[in-house]
Amino acid sequence: MTLSELIDRLGGKLVQGDPEWMVDGVNLAERANPFDVVFADNSATILKALSSKAGVVVLVPGVAGSYPRGKCIVEFDNPRLWFSRAAKLLTPATPSTGVHPKAVVMSDAILGVGVVVEACAVVESGARIGAHTRVEAGAIVGHGVQIGERCRIYPRAVLYPGTTVGDRVIVHAGAVLGADGFGYVRDSATGAYTQFPQQGTLVVEDDVEIGANSTIDRGALAETRIRRGTKIDNLVHVGHNCDIGENVILVALTGISGSSSIGKGAILAGQVGIGDHVKVGPGVMLGGQAGVLSGKTVTNKGLRPGTVLWGTPARPLKQVLREQVMLMRLARLGWRKSSGAETAETETAAAEE
């Protein structure tokens, strides 16, 4: 692809260089060749990018007074974003191979144009798969499951019946979508547990990405919903009846209990724990290992933009750090008092003897 074609697709301003320069891919500055793109978004990386062998460098406007001769320079307000979008455009398309002879596709399943079903994958009765979607080796698409266009279902992913997936969704290896939620009713007389009905649905909207070995349960009687643009890391669990808002980030080992909602644009860092029936407001940022107790609501009301909440129960990070300092001071004070009292008691006993 030529540089001018990339700029037409992605925006930006070519301030130096040949618009017909051929671009093959993106790379690190240290590994780049003349047909690669590199980027720099701060003063620490600009010299490395400009001195690299890369033919194209993407920079923030006005970040450098002059540019080396022979380099193509593109200015864009968010170089990292331009670089990431360019990477998608320059990635070679995976060959379309149709349905593998060792795949199992039921006769009444409906496959769109260009669908790929790899070896040992199973597409069960009544399933519908949109155009140019890939179902890779060993994946299971359950009875009546609906998958949109240009999705990628990686090996060994399992989509249970009752699951609906939008367009351009990525489901990584080993993920399980639409399994029964963890809901039981206890008989107080015998102590035995009976499963509460788990017959709801799971809806995954467009442009969602679900990491390897993550699990998302169907609703109990209603639905679980993952809204447009949300990105879910590996080893994340979302319980039944949850509503995850648009463009939410859920980082590895986060667990969200049933009937909770996460607002648009929220970020939950690694190992965050959310109790059941919790409401996390739009834009809330929960730091690693933060916890929200069942039934609680967490919002940014009264906080400065970008405030990180931390600890259990989750509260502003600065508050937590102040509390920790106070606890340390109290502990030291208590130790000193205890030590002083013990010394005084020892001296008194010696005098009496």
Side-chain angles (χ1 to χ4, degrees), residues 67-124:
Y67 302 117
R69 294 181 62 184
K71 285 258 190 277
C72 297
I73 306 296
V74 177
E75 292 184 341
F76 190 74
D77 289 338
N78 189 338
R80 183 181 292 269
L81 179 61
W82 199 99
F83 180 88
S84 299
R85 289 174 172 170
K88 287 185 174 292
L89 293 176
L90 295 168
T91 300
T94 307
S96 179
T97 56
V99 178
H100 193 281
K102 292 187 177 180
V104 177
V105 179
M106 295 295 104
S107 59
D108 63 343
I110 299 174
L111 307 186
V113 176
V115 167
V116 173
V117 184
E118 294 185 354
C120 301
V122 176
V123 180
E124 295 185 357

Side-chain angles (χ1 to χ4, degrees), residues 138-162:
I140 307 294
V141 178
H143 178 84
V145 167
Q146 298 184 44
I147 303 176
E149 298 182 357
R150 300 186 183 280
C151 297
R152 188 165 187 177
I153 313 301
Y154 276 89
R156 297 182 296 100
V158 179
L159 281 64
Y160 277 61

Side-chain angles (χ1 to χ4, degrees), residues 275-343:
D276 60 277
H277 296 83
V278 161
K279 294 183 179 180
V280 175
V284 168
M285 299 173 64
L286 293 171
Q289 298 188 331
V292 182
L293 303 178
S294 295
K296 299 298 183 181
T297 297
V298 178
T299 70
N300 281 332
K301 186 176 181 180
L303 302 176
R304 293 182 179 179
T307 296
V308 175
L309 306 180
W310 196 54
T312 302
R315 53 210 187 277
L317 176 58
K318 289 185 177 179
Q319 178 183 335
V320 176
L321 295 177
R322 286 196 298 268
E323 291 170 357
Q324 290 184 345
V325 170
M326 291 299 296
L327 285 172
M328 290 174 61
R329 289 175 178 171
L330 287 171
R332 288 174 182 170
L333 180 60
W335 179 84
R336 288 171 183 168
K337 287 184 175 179
S338 174
S339 177
E342 290 175 0
T343 302

Side-chain angles (χ1 to χ4, degrees), residues 10-24:
L10 303 177
K13 180 180 180 182
L14 181 62
V15 296
Q16 178 179 295
D18 180 5
E20 298 306 308
W21 190 271
M22 293 301 300
V23 183
D24 292 340

Side-chain angles (χ1 to χ4, degrees), residues 5-68:
E5 289 173 329
L6 275 176
I7 292 173
D8 288 342
R9 300 280 292 274
L10 303 177
K13 180 180 180 182
L14 181 62
V15 296
Q16 178 179 295
D18 180 5
E20 298 306 308
W21 190 271
M22 293 301 300
V23 183
D24 292 340
V26 302
N27 216 326
L28 293 170
E30 297 89 339
R31 301 174 59 183
N33 66 54
F35 303 104
D36 282 338
V37 176
V38 300
F39 79 98
D41 54 6
N42 57 60
S43 57
T45 58
I46 183 172
L47 292 178
K48 185 182 292 186
L50 292 175
S51 61
S52 72
K53 295 180 180 179
V56 180
V57 180
V58 187
L59 302 168
V60 176
V63 72
S66 61
Y67 302 117

